[in-house]
Amino acid sequence: MSTIVNKFHDLLTRRRIIIVACLFVIVGYMLMSGPGSSLSESVAFSLRECGVAMQSEQSFNPDIFSTRRIVIAPIFCLAGYLLIIVGILYKK
């Protein structure tokens, strides 16, 4: 009876590790998201046709090189993927 309980406990532990790892990956991709550097010509034309006011079609956004997008977000994703591997290979 105790072996069944131990196996169930190990399964729950592995699932928790994998769920936390998936959350790390999701948060990492959310940190990477944001506006792009500039709009493509077709998107800018579509926005002008709809009457959306824009600053400039070719305006450069330096936020694409922020520390959050280039350093922190990939670390979160890498940690999440490594935790997924740990969760899969975990054995008590």
Side-chain angles (χ1 to χ4, degrees):
M1 183 70 172
S2 68
T3 60
I4 295 172
V5 173
N6 286 339
K7 286 183 181 181
F8 182 71
H9 179 61
D10 289 344
L11 179 68
L12 284 179
T13 303
R14 290 195 320 229
R15 283 190 180 170
R16 286 182 190 140
I17 292 172
I18 292 173
I19 288 171
V20 168
C22 289
L23 290 176
F24 265 74
V25 172
I26 290 169
V27 168
Y29 280 112
M30 287 173 54
L31 288 173
M32 270 191 247
S33 68
S37 175
S38 62
L39 297 174
S40 67
E41 188 61 36
S42 61
V43 173
F45 180 74
S46 300
L47 290 175
R48 269 186 271 134
E49 289 294 317
C50 294
V52 175
M54 297 183 317
Q55 292 177 347
S56 169
E57 292 175 22
Q58 297 297 323
S59 64
F60 177 72
N61 185 1
D63 189 46
I64 62 170
F65 298 114
S66 69
T67 305
R68 176 189 61 134
R69 283 182 165 184
I70 293 191
V71 177
I72 297 171
I75 289 174
F76 264 82
C77 289
L78 181 64
Y81 288 127
L82 291 176
L83 273 175
I84 288 174
I85 293 170
V86 169
I88 292 171
L89 297 177
Y90 179 79
K91 191 169 187 176
K92 193 169 184 180

